[in-house]
Amino acid sequence: MKKGVYKFAGQIVEILSNYSEVHKFCEDYESTEKPNFKIITTQEEINYEQSLYDEAFLRKIKRFHKNIDSYLEIYVAGRLLTNKLLNYDTIMFHCSSLKMNDDGYLFTAPSGTGKSTHAQLWKKLYGDKVTIINDDKPFIKITDTNAIVYGSPWCGKEQRHSNISAKIKGICILERSLKNFIIPISP
């Protein structure tokens, strides 16, 4: 087994895997601290992950990856990690997230609506004041006083992520429209 230790959403995690690709994928989150817990990916878990996809999608993956099992193991590790982080009041959230002036902002919507595009518009408008935290699946930790967004390597096809965190100041639920406008919602 291959192994590595990483820090995700404030938790130190040891990952034991069959293949090394998952460790290269997580390398920006490496830690030398003592793990709080471990996750172990198995061939059984990889087979289960493969059963979730149709043949057309699997053929597409095979065109770009020599070993489909090592690629799918990245998703297995993400799923197992996400399930374990629930015990630490942390979820994985489908959104694009950024940090500006030490505050976190999330843009959520169904795939293809424009979350990444919207985050990139902020980056273009505000320049170096904006850092993309994660462009697809950051971790969100809920505390007694606030919610914190953390980067993760599970970040979508553009691979935009940073190993940083920020207190969440706002969440924008995006919808497509011919007109650009925003409506505040009540608590």
Side-chain angles (χ1 to χ4, degrees), residues 106-107 118 170-177 179-187:
L106 312 180
F107 306 103
H118 199 81
I171 301 173
C172 184
I173 302 168
L174 299 176
E175 295 179 7
R176 286 188 184 255
S177 175
K179 186 176 165 187
N180 190 14
F181 63 97
I182 189 164
I183 301 170
I185 61 172
S186 66

Side-chain angles (χ1 to χ4, degrees), residues 105-125:
Y105 296 91
L106 312 180
F107 306 103
T108 188
S111 295
T113 302
K115 298 177 297 296
S116 298
T117 301
H118 199 81
Q120 286 303 115
L121 287 172
W122 278 49
K123 181 75 175 151
K124 184 177 179 181
L125 182 64

Side-chain angles (χ1 to χ4, degrees), residues 24-87:
K24 179 152 180 49
F25 183 78
C26 295
E27 68 187 356
D28 291 340
Y29 299 81
E30 282 182 322
S31 176
T32 58
E33 299 173 73
K34 183 180 178 209
N36 301 92
F37 61 87
K38 70 174 74 170
I39 60 169
I40 303 169
T41 62
T42 64
Q43 189 60 48
E44 182 178 282
E45 288 284 358
I46 294 169
N47 293 343
Y48 171 73
E49 191 72 25
Q50 188 166 349
S51 75
L52 299 175
Y53 303 105
D54 64 27
E55 281 302 315
F57 181 74
L58 293 173
R59 279 194 303 276
K60 186 177 177 181
I61 291 173
K62 288 176 186 176
R63 285 197 314 248
F64 298 103
H65 300 279
K66 292 178 183 177
N67 184 335
I68 193 168
D69 284 356
S70 68
Y71 178 77
L72 291 175
E73 187 173 48
I74 292 169
Y75 291 94
V76 170
R79 178 170 41 83
L80 296 175
L81 175 61
T82 299
N83 289 342
K84 190 71 172 176
L85 285 174
L86 290 171
N87 297 325

Side-chain angles (χ1 to χ4, degrees), residues 134-154:
N134 184 285
D135 208 23
D136 193 41
K137 294 182 181 89
F139 290 115
I140 310 293
K141 179 168 182 59
I142 308 299
T143 72
D144 290 337
T145 57
N146 55 46
I148 303 165
V149 58
Y150 289 86
S152 89
W154 292 272

Side-chain angles (χ1 to χ4, degrees), residues 158-176:
E158 301 299 327
Q159 290 296 296
R160 292 185 192 118
H161 66 97
S162 302
N163 188 1
I164 61 173
S165 63
K167 288 182 184 175
I168 298 172
K169 186 168 185 179
I171 301 173
C172 184
I173 302 168
L174 299 176
E175 295 179 7
R176 286 188 184 255

